[in-house]
C-alpha cells in the first residue's frame, strides 16, 4: 500500500518520542517579552511512530544498493559501509574549538587527505574547507581573482566557459565577480581552439574546463590550450566533476591546470545523501598556495597546527573546516584502494562506458563517435518516427528498476541521455542494463504509447510539475488552508 | 581482484571484444604519452582490519572533552534513532531527486524539513538547505542586494566573527561593501543603526541570540528599515526559536542560521546545515532547491522540486547563486530530530540548556576573579570577565577533561579574557559544580 502521510498528519497532541534526564537544576525564567507568541505546528509522535514513518518514507526512494544508477556526471559508485563506521567513531566527534594538542588525529586525517589529493591530481596543496563542488568552484575563482588583483592586473574581468559546461561554472564565475563568456565546442564537444584564440585577451582572467568534458571526451589538445591561456596571462581551472576516469592515468596538474576542485562525493565514494553533504576540496599550484581559504591546516615539526588568519588568503568561506565527516569517509576510501588499484578505478569506469556505448549504438543515436571516457551521450533513439522522447525512455526505465541516466544535459545535445556507469558495476549488472535499454527501444517502435505513458510500477506516476510552480505549496501549513 | 572492482579477466576480454580494441590502454590513446608517465607516491591498499587499526590509532591521538563552550557549535543530545534512519541506503546513497517518481522519499523529507523551518522561524518558505549558517547568511546578503539592486549591506558587530568573515569574503569578490553597525552594552546599537542606515544599504544582518549569547529585542528594526526599504536579515539558532520570539514575529525578510543545534553531533565542525527562509514576496528570489506539492496523472498527492527557473542549471550565468548540492541528508537529520523530540522535546532541551547555562553563570559570578560583562538576558552562551589568563584556565580544565570557554580575544584583541561559556541539557549539576570548583582554586 502507498504510504503518503506526512509526519504532521500522524501527530497526536501530547505524544512524545524522547527522554531527557532531570539533573535537578532549578528553572530560570526567560523575560516574557522575548518569548515567541505564535504557536508552531511541530510533530508529536512516539518513537516507533517516528521510526515506522521514516522507514516507510525511505521505501519511496531509489538508492545505489537497490539497482544500477548510471546518472551522467554524478559518478554514482558504491559507497563502502566501512567509510560510515569509521567516520562515526566517537574519537572523531570533537568540538571545533578543542585545543590543538587534543585534535592531532583529526588534523592528521585532514592533512594526509589533502596530501593524497595533491599526489593524485598533481597540484601542490589542497584546502578541504569547501562544502561541495559548486562551493569549490566559487573558492577557486576567488583565488583566480585575488591572484590577478595582487598583480594589479585589474582589467581581467572575464572567465571563459565552454557551452557544454555544467551550469555551476558560469554561475560560479558571476558569483565570484567575473563576467562569464562562452567558447564554442567542436562537434565532439571539445573546445574549439580557434574560437578560444579569438576570445583570449588581456581581459581574460582564466578558463574553466572539465576534462574529460561533459560528453566524456578527453581534450587531447589540452597542452596547447594550457599554453595559449597561460601565454595570454590567464589561469586554468579544472572542474573535477569528471575526474574519475583519469584517476591514476593522468593528472590535471600535469596538463597545465592551476586550480581545481575535487568532488569527494563523486570520485572518492562518499555518499550523495540525496543531494549532500558533499565535499569540494580546492587544490592549487605552488605559487597560489598562499591564497587558499582560512583556516589552514599545516604540519610544522611533526605537529599539526591550524592557522586561523593570514593576510594573503582569499578569506574565510566556511564557519569551521568544511564537511569534515565527509573527509574521513574519503580518507578511508583512499587508504582502502591503495596504489595498486587506483589506475583500475579510472580504467574500468572507461571500459564500462565504452562497452555500453558500443552495445547500444545500433538503437540509440550516438552523435559523437569513437572512444569515450567514463561517460557518453546519446541523442535519443535513432528511430524517432514514433516521437518517443528521451524523457519517455527515462520514465520507462523506472519500470525496470533502473535509475535513468542524466537527461537533457549537456545542453549541446537536444535529446541528451548521458550515461555514466562507474567502475563498481559488474558486467552482469551492465549486461542487464543493456538488455533493458534495448527492450525499451523495441517497445518505442512497436508500442510507443506504452513508453509515452510510463512509468507504471512506481509509487506515483508522471507528475504535473507546472502545477507545483503555478501555485506553490511549500510547507505543511499551506495544505491546511 | 579488489572488493570494489568486480571485473574478472574474462569479463574484461569479452568487453574489449565488443568495443573492438585489444586492451584497456587502447581506450586512452588520445591522451598525450608524456602525460601518462605517472609514478605515484602512495601506499598500497589496506584491508578492513588494517583500516580499523589505523583509525583507532588516529582516534587515540585525539582526546574527547566535555565541552563548556558553544560559540556556534553546541553539544546537544542526539536521540539514537536518528543514525539508524538516516543511515538507510534509500536516503544515504540516492542523489538529488531529479526523477521524482523514484525520489518521493527524499522529496517528502525535504518538504517536512521546509515545514519545520517555516514553523520555527514563522516565515513563509524555507529552501531545501544551505551548506552552513555562515554561507546561508552570505547568500541572504546576495538575495538582498539583488532584490534591492544595491551594493552595500550593514552587519551588526554582535554577529559571530566567523559569520562576519564569510559574509565579507563573499561580498568582497562580488564587489559589495559590508559596513558595521556598532554594539552598545552587548547588543546592536540601535542609535548607530538609525544614524547610518540609508537607501544605499540593501538591509541589515543581525544575529539573535547574538555572538555573546544575548537575546536582543529586535522590535524596532523593522520600522527603521521601512524608511530605507532595506531588508531585515536575522540569523538565529533554530533550536532557540522553540522558545524565543521568531524572525517572522520581528518582521524579518530573510531568516538564516545553522541547524547544528537540532541534535547534529559536533563532528569537528561539519557536516552541519544552514537554513534560509523568506517571505512569500521574495520566494522567487531565493537561492537553492525548493520542494513543492503537486499531483501525478492519477491525482495522487506527490512532491517535486519546483520554481527551478531561479537555479544555476537553468539560468547559468544569470543565476544569483551557484549552489547545486546542499546538505540534504542533514536536512533529514534535522527532520528526524524534530520528529522524535517533538513539540515538547524541543522546548524541554532548550529550557534545560537555558537553565544549565544560567546556573553555571550564577556559580561562576560567585567567584572573586570573575565578573559580569553585560547586564542583559542571555540564552545558552554566557559571557564573563576573568582576572586570570584564559590560557591558564583552559589548561587546568583540560587536565580534568573539560573544554573550557572561548576567549573572545581570539578574534578581537581588545576583548582578551572575556570568556564565553555554554552549557546544554547534557551538562549535569555535578559537571557544572566540578567546573566551578576548578575555577575556584585558580
Amino acid at each position: 500500500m502507498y504510504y503518503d502521510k506526512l509526519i504532521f498528519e500522524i501527530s497526536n497532541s501530547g505524544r512524545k518520542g524522547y527522554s531527557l534526564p532531570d539533573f535537578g537544576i532549578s528553572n530560570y525564567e526567560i523575560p516574557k517579552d522575548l518569548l515567541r507568541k505564535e504557536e508552531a505546528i511541530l510533530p508529536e509522535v512516539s518513537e516507533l511512530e517516528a521510526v515506522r514513518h521514516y522507514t516507510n518514507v525511505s521505501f519511496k526512494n531509489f538508492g545505489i544498493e537497490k539497482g544500477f544508477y548510471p546518472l551522467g556526471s554524478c559518478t554514482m559508485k558504491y559507497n563502502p559501509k566501512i567509510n560510515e563506521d569509521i567516520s562515526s567513531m566517537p574519537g572523531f566527534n570533537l568540538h571545533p574549538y578543542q585545543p590543538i594538542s587534543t585534535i592531532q588525529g583529526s588534523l592528521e586525517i585532514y592533512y594526509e587527505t589533502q596530501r593524497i589529493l595533491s599526489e593524485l591530481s598533481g597540484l601542490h596543496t589542497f584546502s578541504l574547507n569547501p562544502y561541495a563542488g559548486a562551493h569549490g568552484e566559487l573558492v577557486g575563482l576567488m583565488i583566480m581573482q585575488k591572484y590577478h588583483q595582487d598583480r594589479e592586473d585589474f582589467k581581467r574581468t572575464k572567465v571563459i566557459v565552454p557551452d557544454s559546461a555544467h551550469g555551476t561554472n558560469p554561475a560560479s564565475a558571476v558569483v565570484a565577480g567575473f563576467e562569464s563568456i562562452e567558447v564554442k565546442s567542436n562537434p565532439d564537444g571539445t573546445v574549439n581552439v580557434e574560437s578560444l584564440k579569438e576570445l583570449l585577451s588581456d581581459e581574460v582572467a582564466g578558463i574553466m574546463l572539465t576534462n574529460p568534458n561533459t560528453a566524456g571526451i578527453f581534450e587531447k589538445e589540452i597542452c596547447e590550450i594550457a599554453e595559449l591561456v597561460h601565454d595570454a596571462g590567464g589561469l586554468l581551472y579544472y572542474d573535477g566533476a569528471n575526474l574519475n576516469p583519469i584517476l591514476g592515468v593522468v593528472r590535471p596538474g600535469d596538463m597545465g591546470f592551476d586550480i581545481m576542485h575535487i568532488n569527494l562525493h563523486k570520485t572518492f565514494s562518499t555518499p550523495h545523501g540525496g543531494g549532500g553533504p558533499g565535499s569540494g576540496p580546492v587544490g592549487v599550484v605552488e605559487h597560489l598556495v598562499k591564497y587558499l581559504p582560512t583556516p589552514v591546516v599545516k604540519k610544522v615539526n611533526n605537529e599539526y597546527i591550524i592557522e586561523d588568519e593570514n593576510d594573503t588568503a582569499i578569506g574565510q568561506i566556511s564557519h569551521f573546516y568544511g564537511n569534515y565527516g565527509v573527509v574521513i569517509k574519503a580518507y578511508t576510501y583512499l587508504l582502502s584502494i591503495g596504489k595498486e588499484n587506483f589506475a583500475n578505478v579510472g580504467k574500468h569506469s572507461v571500459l564500462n562506458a565504452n562497452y555500453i556505448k558500443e552495445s547500444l549504438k545500433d538503437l540509440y543515436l550516438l552523435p559523437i563517435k569513437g572512444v569515450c571516457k567514463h561517460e557518453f551521450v546519446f541523442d535519443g533513439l535513432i528511430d524517432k518516427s514514433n516521437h518517443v522522447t528521451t524523457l519517455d525512455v527515462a520514465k520507462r526505465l523506472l519500470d525496470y528498476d533502473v535509475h535513468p541516466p542524466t537527461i537533457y544535459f549537456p545542453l549541446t545535445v537536444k535529446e541528451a541521455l548521458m550515461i555514466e556507469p562507474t567502475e563498481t558495476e559488474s558486467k552482469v549488472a551492465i549486461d542487464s542494463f543493456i538488455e533493458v535499454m534495448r527492450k525499451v527501444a523495441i517497445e518505442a517502435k512497436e508500442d510507443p504509447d506504452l513508453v509515452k505513458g510510463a512509468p507504471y510500477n512506481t509509487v506515483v506516476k508522471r507528475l504535473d510539475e507546472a502545477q507545483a510552480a503555478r501555485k506553490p505549496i511549500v510547507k505543511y501549513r499551506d495544505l491546511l488552508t | 581482484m579488489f572488493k570494489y572492482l568486480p571485473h574478472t579477466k574474462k569479463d574484461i576480454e569479452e568487453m574489449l571484444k565488443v568495443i573492438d580494441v585489444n586492451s584497456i590502454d587502447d581506450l586512452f590513446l588520445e591522451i598525450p604519452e608524456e602525460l601518462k608517465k605517472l609514478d605515484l607516491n602512495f601506499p598500497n591498499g589496506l584491508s578492513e582490519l588494517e583500516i580499523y587499526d589505523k583509525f583507532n590509532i588516529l582516534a587515540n591521538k585525539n582526546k574527547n572533552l566535555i565541552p563548556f563552550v558553544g560559540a556556534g557549535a553546541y553539544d546537544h543530545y542526539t536521540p539514537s534513532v536518528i543514525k539508524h534512519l538516516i543511515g538507510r541506503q534509500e536516503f544515504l546513497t540516492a542523489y538529488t531527486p531529479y526523477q521524482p517518481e523514484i525520489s518521493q522519499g527524499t522529496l517528502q523529507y525535504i518538504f517536512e524539513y521546509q515545514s519545520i523551518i517555516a514553523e520555527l522561524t514563522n516565515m513563509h518558505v524555507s529552501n531545501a538547505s544551505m551548506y552552513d549558517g555562515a554561507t546561508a547568511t552570505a547568500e541572504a546578503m546576495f538575495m538582498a542586494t539583488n532584490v534591492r539592486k544595491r551594493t552595500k549591506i550593514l552587519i551588526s558587530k554582535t554577529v559571530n566573527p566567523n559569520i562576519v568573515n564569510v559574509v565579507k569574503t563573499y561580498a568582497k569578490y562580488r564587489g559589495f561593501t559590508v559596513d558595521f553597525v556598532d554594539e552598545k552594552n552587548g547588543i546592536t546599537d540601535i542609535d548607530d543603526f538609525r544614524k547610518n542606515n540609508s537607501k544605499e544599504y540593501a538591509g541589515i544582518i543581525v544575529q539573535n541570540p547574538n555572538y555573546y549569547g544575548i537575546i536582543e529585542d529586535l522590535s524596532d528594526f523593522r520600522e527603521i528599515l521601512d524608511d530605507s526599504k532595506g531588508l531585515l536579515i536575522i540569523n538565529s539558532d533554530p533550536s532557540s526559536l522553540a522558545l524565543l520570539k521568531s524572525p517572522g514575529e520581528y518582521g524579518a525578510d530573510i531568516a538564516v542560521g545553522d541547524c547544528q543545534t537540532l541534535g547534529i553531533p559536533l563532528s569537528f565542525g561539519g557536516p552541519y546545515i544552514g537554513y534560509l527562509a523568506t517571505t512569500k514576496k521574495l520566494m522567487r528570489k531565493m537561492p537553492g532547491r525548493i520542494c513543492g506539492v503537486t499531483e501525478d496523472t492519477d491525482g495522487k498527492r506527490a512532491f517535486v522540486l519546483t520554481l527551478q527557473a531561479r537555479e544555476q542549471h537553468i539560468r547559468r550565468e544569470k543565476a544569483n547563486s551557484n549552489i547545486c548540492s546542499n546538505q540534504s541528508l542533514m536536512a533529514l537529520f534535522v527532520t528526524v530530530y524534530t520528529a522524535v523530540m517533538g513539540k515538547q522535546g524541543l522546548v524541554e532541551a532548550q529550557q534545560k540548556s537555558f537553565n544549565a547555562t544560567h546556573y553555571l553563570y550564577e556559580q561562576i559570578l560567585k567567584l572573586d576573579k570573575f565578573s559580569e560583562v553585560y547586564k542583559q538576558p542571555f540564552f545558552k552562551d554566557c559571557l564573563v570577565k576573568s582576572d586570570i589568563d584564559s590560557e591558564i584556565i583552559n589548561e587546568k580544565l583540560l587536565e580534568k577533561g573539560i573544554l573550557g570557554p572561548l576567549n573572545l580575544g581570539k578574534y578581537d584583541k581588545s576583548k582578551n579574557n572575556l570568556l564565553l561559556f555554554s552549557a546544554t541539557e547534557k551538562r549535569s549539576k555535578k559537571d557544572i559544580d566540578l567546573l566551578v570548583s576548578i575555577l575556584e582554586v585558580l
Side-chain angles (χ1 to χ4, degrees):
Chain A
M1 227 193 66
Y2 176 55
Y3 181 76
D4 80 333
K5 292 275 189 286
L6 290 164
I7 190 76
F8 305 96
E9 291 166 339
I10 60 165
S11 289
N12 276 289
S13 181
R15 210 166 265 170
K16 58 187 259 188
Y18 74 98
S19 58
L20 285 174
D22 183 357
F23 289 128
I25 299 172
S26 56
N27 214 50
Y28 291 78
E29 295 274 325
I30 302 173
K32 287 265 172 319
D33 53 334
L34 298 175
L35 289 173
R36 70 179 290 146
K37 298 197 173 55
E38 284 277 342
E39 197 182 330
I41 303 173
L42 292 167
E44 289 176 275
V45 295
S46 71
E47 186 172 315
L48 174 59
E49 284 174 315
V51 171
R52 195 170 278 163
H53 174 74
Y54 289 105
T55 302
N56 278 296
V57 170
S58 81
F59 292 155
K60 299 193 278 184
N61 250 16
F62 185 98
I64 294 172
E65 288 165 34
K66 179 158 195 249
F68 193 45
Y69 211 130
L71 199 61
S73 263
C74 298
T75 316
M76 302 300 288
K77 62 172 73 178
Y78 170 58
N79 309 138
K81 297 296 180 190
I82 189 172
N83 298 0
E84 303 302 311
D85 289 347
I86 296 290
S87 74
S88 58
M89 282 169 64
F92 300 120
N93 186 25
L94 308 169
H95 194 285
Y97 280 135
Q98 281 203 195
I100 293 292
S101 63
T102 65
I103 54 173
Q104 286 296 304
S106 289
L107 294 182
E108 183 175 336
I109 291 170
Y110 187 108
Y111 184 85
E112 283 300 313
T113 303
Q114 75 85 22
R115 202 191 56 76
I116 296 171
L117 296 182
S118 291
E119 185 67 23
L120 287 171
S121 66
L123 288 160
H124 190 278
T125 304
F126 274 77
S127 166
L128 312 185
N129 297 0
Y131 285 110
H135 201 219
E137 290 176 18
L138 177 58
V139 169
L141 289 163
M142 287 173 174
I143 291 170
M144 192 182 280
Q145 181 145 173
K146 182 122 169 66
Y147 161 78
H148 290 305
Q149 282 171 359
D150 274 8
R151 298 185 307 113
E152 297 183 348
D153 190 347
F154 300 114
K155 265 197 335 202
R156 297 188 185 268
T157 55
K158 294 172 183 169
V159 166
I160 301 173
V161 176
D163 53 6
S164 62
H166 300 115
T168 49
N169 287 185
S172 299
V174 171
V175 174
F178 290 112
E179 183 192 340
S180 168
I181 55 173
E182 211 170 81
V183 60
K184 291 270 168 277
S185 300
N186 293 317
D188 68 354
T190 54
V191 172
N192 185 307
V193 175
E194 289 313 308
S195 309
L196 175 66
K197 281 181 188 164
E198 284 167 29
L199 287 176
L200 286 171
S201 74
D202 59 0
E203 290 178 10
V204 169
I207 185 169
M208 298 181 83
L209 287 177
T210 314
N211 191 20
N213 64 25
T214 53
I217 305 297
F218 190 86
E219 299 278 357
K220 52 182 182 292
E221 290 173 285
I222 185 60
C223 295
E224 190 193 342
I225 292 171
E227 207 179 316
L228 285 169
V229 174
H230 283 150
D231 285 350
L235 297 178
L236 282 88
Y237 184 91
Y238 182 91
D239 174 346
N242 294 352
L243 182 67
N244 203 49
I246 59 166
L247 213 56
V249 178
V250 58
R251 309 190 302 176
D254 299 335
M255 296 179 211
F257 285 94
D258 304 287
I259 311 169
M260 75 177 291
H261 81 263
I262 292 176
N263 301 70
L264 296 185
H265 50 291
K266 292 178 180 175
T267 317
F268 296 116
S269 86
T270 71
H272 283 69
S279 178
V282 165
V284 292
V285 292
E286 194 169 2
H287 73 100
L288 301 176
V289 172
K290 62 182 177 185
Y291 299 121
L292 286 172
T294 50
V296 177
V297 174
K298 285 187 171 170
K299 189 178 183 180
V300 179
N301 301 329
N302 272 330
E303 196 199 22
Y304 298 96
I305 60 156
I306 298 169
E307 206 176 72
D308 280 312
E309 268 179 75
N310 71 51
D311 296 339
T312 59
I314 55 160
Q316 192 176 344
I317 51 89
S318 55
H319 196 124
F320 296 109
Y321 314 105
N323 282 332
Y324 182 75
V326 176
V327 170
I328 299 181
K329 296 179 193 186
Y331 187 50
T332 307
Y333 174 78
L334 290 163
L335 294 178
S336 305
I337 292 278
K339 184 177 178 173
E340 73 277 29
N341 295 307
F342 254 112
N344 284 338
V345 169
K347 285 178 181 177
H348 289 189
S349 76
V350 171
L351 177 69
N352 281 353
N354 280 285
Y355 177 68
I356 295 174
K357 173 171 64 70
E358 293 304 314
S359 304
L360 290 173
K361 69 177 184 186
D362 58 324
L363 292 173
Y364 292 85
L365 185 62
L366 185 66
I368 301 166
K369 308 278 186 291
V371 169
C372 66
K373 293 278 96 53
H374 63 306
E375 67 188 2
F376 63 93
V377 182
F378 280 133
D379 192 359
L381 288 157
I382 289 177
D383 181 358
K384 291 187 167 57
S385 59
N386 286 334
H387 307 288
V388 173
T389 64
T390 278
L391 182 71
D392 299 327
V393 170
K395 296 304 178 197
R396 186 62 181 146
L397 288 175
L398 301 176
D399 286 330
Y400 292 107
D401 266 347
V402 168
H403 193 291
T406 296
I407 55 173
Y408 300 107
F409 183 83
L411 308 176
T412 42
V413 178
K414 193 163 170 275
E415 285 289 311
L417 258 172
M418 185 195 210
I419 300 174
E420 179 182 6
T422 90
E423 74 284 357
T424 56
E425 296 298 333
S426 68
K427 182 166 178 292
V428 177
I430 285 173
D431 281 338
S432 105
F433 170 67
I434 291 167
E435 198 186 311
V436 167
M437 286 289 283
R438 300 192 68 85
K439 200 162 167 186
V440 172
I442 291 161
E443 286 174 352
K445 194 178 171 71
E446 292 172 354
D447 190 358
D449 287 340
L450 175 79
V451 182
K452 288 179 193 173
Y456 305 96
N457 304 334
T458 46
V459 291
V460 292
K461 298 194 177 155
R462 281 198 206 191
L463 303 181
D464 187 348
E465 300 194 12
Q467 183 192 323
R470 218 167 29 242
K471 199 173 163 280
I473 297 170
V474 291
K475 61 181 183 300
Y476 174 60
R477 204 180 271 261
D478 296 346
L479 290 167
L480 300 176
T481 52
Chain B
M1 293 296 293
F2 176 66
K3 60 182 173 173
Y4 306 150
L5 299 170
H7 290 338
T8 62
K9 223 177 139 198
K10 186 165 160 269
D11 289 337
I12 294 171
E13 278 164 13
E14 286 173 13
M15 294 168 88
L16 289 172
K17 207 171 284 168
V18 171
I19 303 168
D20 197 21
V21 291
N22 294 323
S23 71
I24 296 183
D25 289 339
D26 286 355
L27 300 172
F28 291 86
L29 290 177
E30 80 280 29
I31 300 180
E33 273 312 311
E34 68 272 19
L35 293 179
K36 286 192 284 194
K37 290 189 185 105
L38 287 192
D39 181 24
L40 298 176
N41 172 20
F42 196 66
N44 280 341
L46 300 179
S47 67
E48 274 206 18
L49 281 175
E50 292 164 306
I51 292 272
Y52 276 111
D53 284 346
K54 167 102 185 161
F55 281 93
N56 277 323
I57 292 168
L58 285 164
N60 283 332
K61 292 181 184 176
N62 290 335
K63 191 170 178 207
N64 288 95
L65 304 175
I66 302 171
F68 272 99
V69 66
Y74 300 82
D75 185 30
H76 285 295
Y77 164 66
T78 309
S80 288
V81 299
I82 300 176
K83 69 168 180 288
H84 295 281
L85 290 168
I86 75 161
R88 292 185 65 86
Q89 73 86 23
E90 294 88 344
F91 293 132
L92 185 71
T93 72
Y95 194 33
T96 302
Y98 289 128
Q99 296 289 340
E101 296 89 345
I102 52 167
S103 308
Q104 286 298 301
T106 300
L107 288 159
Q108 178 168 338
Y109 79 65
I110 293 174
F111 185 81
E112 291 184 0
Y113 163 82
Q114 289 176 186
S115 303
I116 289 163
I117 296 299
E119 289 298 325
L120 287 172
T121 57
N122 279 126
M123 300 300 288
H124 177 75
V125 56
S126 159
N127 73 9
S129 75
M130 309 299 290
Y131 305 134
D132 69 6
T135 63
T137 312
E139 291 270 9
M141 166 192 62
F142 282 170
M143 239 181 105
T145 49
N146 183 37
V147 168
R148 285 292 172 258
K149 305 287 171 231
R150 297 174 186 173
T151 59
K152 290 172 139 191
I153 195 113
L154 291 166
I155 193 163
S156 169
K157 273 200 173 152
T158 65
V159 174
N160 183 304
N162 288 294
I163 299 171
V164 172
N165 285 343
V166 172
V167 168
K168 280 167 85 175
T169 305
Y170 271 61
K172 183 166 62 185
Y173 295 93
R174 211 164 173 185
F176 297 152
T177 307
V178 182
D179 287 331
F180 280 108
V181 171
D182 247 328
E183 59 176 286
K184 192 178 174 185
N185 200 18
I187 59 171
T188 310
D189 182 350
I190 191 112
D191 296 326
D192 189 59
F193 174 41
R194 202 174 272 124
K195 198 178 82 196
N196 289 311
N197 186 44
S198 75
K199 286 188 173 163
E200 282 184 28
Y201 292 103
I204 184 169
I205 299 168
V206 290
Q207 188 183 4
N208 194 31
N210 70 23
Y211 175 41
Y212 311 124
I214 294 169
I215 312 168
E216 298 200 24
D217 184 344
L218 303 171
S219 304
D220 296 331
F221 282 64
R222 181 74 264 168
E223 209 192 316
I224 296 170
L225 287 162
D226 283 344
D227 291 339
S228 63
K229 294 211 166 8
L231 302 190
L232 178 57
I233 301 168
I234 302 178
N235 178 308
S236 286
D237 161 5
S239 68
S240 75
L241 300 177
L243 290 163
L244 300 181
K245 201 165 165 181
S246 63
E249 289 173 298
Y250 281 122
D253 298 287
I254 309 171
V256 290
D258 203 304
C259 296
Q260 185 274 331
T261 49
L262 294 171
I264 296 178
L266 293 165
S267 49
F268 200 49
Y272 298 165
I273 163 179
Y275 73 84
L276 189 150
T278 191
T279 58
K280 192 169 187 175
K281 208 169 142 190
L282 298 182
M283 175 160 60
R284 287 165 202 273
K285 300 288 184 185
M286 284 182 107
R289 293 174 179 137
I290 301 172
C291 172
V293 173
T294 190
E295 288 176 346
D296 75 355
T297 46
D298 291 343
K300 230 191 246 177
R301 182 173 78 184
F303 304 94
V304 69
L305 292 180
T306 193
L307 306 175
Q308 295 191 66
R310 302 163 293 110
E311 291 185 67
Q312 48 78 23
H313 63 282
I314 311 264
R315 281 184 80 80
R316 298 176 75 85
E317 73 278 2
K318 291 185 190 72
N320 193 43
S321 166
N322 72 334
I323 194 165
C324 180
S325 280
N326 47 42
Q327 300 285 104
S328 195
L329 196 73
M330 305 317 287
L332 175 62
F333 195 114
V334 166
T335 304
V336 178
Y337 175 83
T338 307
V340 290
M341 295 303 283
K343 200 173 185 170
Q344 294 177 55
L346 286 188
V347 169
E348 191 181 328
Q350 294 311 310
Q351 181 68 49
K352 283 186 162 154
S353 302
F354 181 85
N355 295 344
T357 306
H358 282 72
Y359 174 72
L360 167 80
Y361 185 69
E362 275 184 9
Q363 299 304 308
I364 293 178
L365 286 191
K366 284 179 184 165
L367 308 176
D368 291 343
K369 291 177 175 130
F370 296 88
S371 54
E372 189 166 71
V373 183
Y374 302 118
K375 209 168 211 55
Q376 295 282 8
F378 56 90
F379 196 65
K380 64 188 176 200
D381 295 274
C382 61
L383 194 63
V384 297
K385 187 175 182 304
S386 165
D387 296 342
I388 311 161
D389 191 63
S390 80
E391 275 188 35
I392 297 168
I393 293 173
N394 278 325
E395 219 160 277
K396 279 286 168 214
L397 293 173
L398 184 57
E399 284 171 19
K400 303 281 182 192
I402 291 173
L403 174 59
L406 174 71
N407 176 7
L408 300 194
K410 178 178 162 83
Y411 299 106
D412 180 349
K413 297 267 180 295
S414 72
K415 290 176 180 155
N416 198 32
N417 290 333
L418 296 189
L419 307 183
L420 195 61
F421 285 89
S422 174
T424 65
E425 77 281 10
K426 281 175 78 176
R427 297 293 86 82
S428 68
K429 192 162 180 286
K430 223 174 96 190
D431 291 338
I432 296 169
D433 291 341
L434 170 69
L435 170 83
V436 174
S437 71
I438 299 166
L439 298 180
E440 195 172 7
V441 296
L442 287 175

